[in-house]
Amino acid sequence: MTAHLPHNLRSDARDNRERILDAARSVFVTDGLEVPIREIARRAEVGPATVYRHFPTKEMLIAEAFTDQMLACRSIVDEGLADPDPWRGFCGAVEQLCELQARDHGFTAAFMSTFPHAMDFAAIRTSSLTGAAELIRRAKDSGQLRPDIVLDDLILMIMANNGIHADTPAARLAASRRFAAHILQAFHASPGSAPLPPVPRLVPAVALHRPERASETRS
């Protein structure tokens, strides 16, 4: 029994940390960033001392919860890129990004407003944007995404999705899913599609480096 005790303690600590983060994300979304640590501890079913053992300051807890949110966005893009069907991968990423944002319900905006200089997320953001640009390229090459769709259109979609308001989280999520379905229909290539208006530059240009083909490398 004693040989397994340290491993069990590490496992318990890891479980406690995940419960604290899950509870923190949930309460930050519903009650804002001012919620006290004792309420987060109560939701996580641990004592306040356990919360402080993992996160010595509240800012560290908020930042960790926000980091997870950013990494979830990157994971969604990676999952779409891993799909062998480019259009299915693109659609899945759009649907999941809209759902992630609907569940976020202003947490990201509140974090950036309250802690504007807490950390540098430029690398994660650039990586996500580059991955999103590759999602678009693959879907275009498959012939199923309109050829005039650009990265800024995805940013515009996210901004519009963020404006959805509803009385309950469930209603907001349902509205977001319907919005994503409308967006995907609009993005799908079809012979009768009218040209889009000029592109609004919403993010800095992201350089997209296409992998060299073997024939190009040999030449």
Side-chain angles (χ1 to χ4, degrees):
M1 287 181 65
T2 54
H4 295 285
L5 187 57
H7 178 269
N8 290 338
L9 285 176
R10 287 195 295 270
S11 177
D12 289 345
R14 186 168 56 250
D15 290 345
N16 283 341
R17 186 177 185 278
E18 289 305 314
R19 285 210 308 274
I20 292 167
L21 280 171
D22 287 344
R25 280 190 292 267
S26 176
V27 77
F28 289 150
V29 165
T30 57
D31 300 340
L33 301 183
E34 300 304 317
V35 66
I37 287 292
R38 63 178 179 275
E39 176 59 19
I40 296 171
R42 186 187 70 80
R43 299 274 189 101
E45 298 182 343
V46 299
T50 301
V51 177
Y52 284 115
R53 191 177 306 123
H54 290 279
F55 306 99
T57 69
K58 186 178 178 183
E59 181 173 339
M60 290 176 65
L61 173 57
I62 296 172
E64 186 72 14
F66 178 68
T67 301
D68 283 357
Q69 192 82 347
M70 293 285 287
L71 293 176
C73 178
R74 176 65 220 190
S75 179
I76 288 171
V77 173
D78 287 342
E79 185 178 333
L81 290 172
D83 195 315
D85 184 323
W87 176 246
R88 184 176 62 197
F90 178 82
C91 291
V94 165
E95 291 166 349
Q96 291 185 67
L97 286 171
C98 284
E99 180 168 336
L100 179 69
Q101 189 180 40
R103 295 184 187 279
D104 174 275
H105 192 42
F107 169 49
T108 296
F111 174 85
M112 297 301 289
S113 175
T114 307
F115 305 107
H117 308 296
M119 56 190 68
D120 182 10
F121 284 99
I124 298 177
R125 183 175 181 270
T126 299
S127 176
S128 296
L129 290 174
T130 303
E134 180 64 8
L135 272 176
I136 290 172
R137 185 197 67 77
R138 292 175 74 240
K140 281 184 182 180
D141 287 352
S142 75
Q144 298 190 75
L145 180 66
R146 292 178 57 132
D148 50 358
I149 293 297
V150 295
L151 180 60
D152 295 85
D153 290 311
L154 277 186
I155 303 301
L156 185 62
M157 175 204 76
I158 290 171
M159 293 170 64
N161 186 64
N162 191 46
I164 293 176
H165 297 284
D167 292 336
T168 66
R172 184 170 60 252
L173 185 58
S176 180
R177 286 172 176 162
R178 187 173 178 86
F179 173 74
H182 284 308
I183 287 295
L184 290 172
Q185 287 186 18
F187 280 10
H188 193 267
S190 61
S193 298
L196 293 173
V199 178
R201 287 300 172 192
L202 302 174
V203 294
V206 176
L208 178 59
H209 302 289
R210 299 183 62 166
E212 294 182 347
R213 296 183 177 86
S215 59
E216 295 173 345
T217 305
R218 289 194 296 270
S219 60

